[in-house]
Amino acid sequence: DVGARLGRSPTALVKQALQKAMDRAGVAKSPVLDGFVACPSLADPRFMEAHYLASACGVLPGMGYGSGVRVRTIDTGGASPISMLLQAKKMVETEGCTAVAVVAGDAVSSMPSAAFLDKADSAASLMAASDLPEGTDVYELPSPGIPNGYSHAAAAHMKRHPLSRNQLAMVPVLMSHQAARHPQAMAKRPISLDSVLQAPAITPLVGQFECARRADGAAAVLVVREDAIS
């Protein structure tokens, strides 16, 4: 499920998503599932997130040491879904895994706005200047940290490459047209380029329609060795 204020924890949402994926694939968690990849949630992050979720989902006994299941936690921010899929592909192709579950879930729309902003800013904060190599320039992102981080990166990219503000704003326009065709999309009304450019500015290069919507939900994908598919 994906939606606003579902009232369930990220772990519960991940468990449901994985069970649906396993049911749809027609396979059991054991002994077929021998790999598990997850990324941390913002609403309820856990130490060794993938081990925690794999245990909660019944893939691992306890914390699963010595179980033979390969478990990886991946955190590359907004690129985590792609990074996790690439990791799962590698585990199947080069590490002997038969089937790897790739899961992610969060419940940020159920969080109070102040708590969400505090956690998001904390996640985007830099190391203390005292922990950085001597002479390193420190740029502290103002709140909201994540949109300001993307705005800062976009500005640097636009200085080096011929990218216009209109081209940047076309990203949510195209995504909205894709969402309009998806039965489970939270927003199904396509937006125009003018709407994106005229929306309230959150940061210098990020407007309201260019920020991710707060949502609760989870997803699970199985990456399976081809010769294991009957």
Side-chain angles (χ1 to χ4, degrees):
D1 292 341
V2 176
R5 300 179 179 87
L6 297 180
R8 282 176 280 164
S9 70
T11 300
L13 292 167
V14 164
K15 289 173 67 175
Q16 180 187 48
L18 179 59
Q19 190 59 60
K20 286 184 176 180
M22 300 297 290
D23 292 344
R24 181 173 294 180
V27 296
K29 292 176 186 173
S30 177
V32 176
L33 205 59
D34 52 6
F36 194 94
V37 184
C39 63
S41 71
L42 190 68
D44 188 25
R46 300 283 181 160
F47 174 67
M48 298 180 69
E49 187 89 21
H51 283 78
Y52 173 83
L53 288 174
S55 299
C57 291
V59 177
L60 293 179
M63 283 300 281
Y65 299 109
S67 67
V69 179
R70 297 178 182 270
V71 183
R72 306 280 161 76
T73 297
I74 304 290
D75 185 2
T76 55
S80 291
I82 296 298
S83 298
M84 290 192 294
L85 287 170
L86 290 173
Q87 178 63 52
K89 179 176 181 286
K90 178 182 177 183
M91 291 165 71
V92 169
E93 291 179 342
T94 68
E95 299 182 31
C97 288
T98 298
V100 180
V102 178
V103 303
D106 220 327
V108 294
S109 78
S110 291
M111 298 173 66
S113 295
F116 167 75
L117 182 60
D118 182 63
K119 281 205 171 187
D121 283 350
S122 177
S125 64
L126 301 176
M127 292 187 294
S130 58
D131 295 330
L132 294 168
E134 186 176 351
T136 300
D137 292 332
V138 178
Y139 177 79
E140 193 66 34
L141 292 170
S143 181
I146 294 175
N148 271 294
Y150 281 118
S151 184
H152 191 64
H157 187 84
M158 292 170 77
K159 285 182 179 179
R160 298 180 61 181
H161 304 283
L163 175 68
S164 70
R165 182 67 183 93
N166 282 16
Q167 290 172 320
L168 197 63
M170 277 301 297
V171 174
V173 173
L174 295 173
M175 292 177 69
S176 74
H177 281 265
Q178 291 178 326
R181 299 194 297 268
H182 197 294
Q184 294 181 312
M186 291 182 66
K188 297 183 179 181
R189 186 177 67 182
I191 56 177
S192 67
L193 178 61
D194 285 343
S195 296
V196 175
L197 294 173
Q198 293 170 13
I202 306 302
T203 71
L205 288 174
V206 177
Q208 188 176 48
F209 287 123
E210 292 163 295
C211 293
R213 290 192 63 168
R214 288 172 58 187
D216 293 1
V221 174
L222 302 179
V223 179
V224 183
R225 199 176 66 222
E226 187 174 4
D227 61 11
I229 301 174
S230 57

